């Protein structure tokens, strides 16, 4: 398991986010076979990548 703090910018909107991310990494025969990310706030990530103002705002802003 890996706990990381990331700072990202959504390509689609230019919005920036700072958040922790936890990843489980599976290794088999000396190679990574799976990486499974777990995000703290998926609603905030979805809102940053779309025209939605927030996760509670269901209509795109004009």
């Amino acid at each position: 398991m890996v706990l990381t703090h990331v700072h990202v910018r959504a390509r689609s909107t230019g919005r920036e986010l700072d958040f922790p991310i936890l990843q489980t990494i599976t290794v088999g025969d000396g190679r990574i076979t799976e990486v499974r990310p777990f995000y703290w706030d998926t609603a905030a990530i979805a809102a940053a990548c779309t025209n939605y103002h927030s996760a509670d705002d269901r209509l795109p802003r004009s």
Side-chain angles (χ1 to χ4, degrees), residues 38-52:
F38 296 90
Y39 302 98
W40 257 248
D41 190 349
T42 55
I45 295 167
C49 295
T50 65
N51 289 326
Y52 294 117

Side-chain angles (χ1 to χ4, degrees), residues 16-55:
E16 295 183 8
L17 290 170
D18 277 302
F19 58 90
I21 182 173
L22 177 72
Q23 299 179 83
T24 61
I25 299 172
T26 304
V27 178
D29 294 325
R31 296 180 183 264
I32 294 174
T33 59
E34 180 182 49
V35 176
R36 204 177 272 205
F38 296 90
Y39 302 98
W40 257 248
D41 190 349
T42 55
I45 295 167
C49 295
T50 65
N51 289 326
Y52 294 117
H53 174 58
S54 71

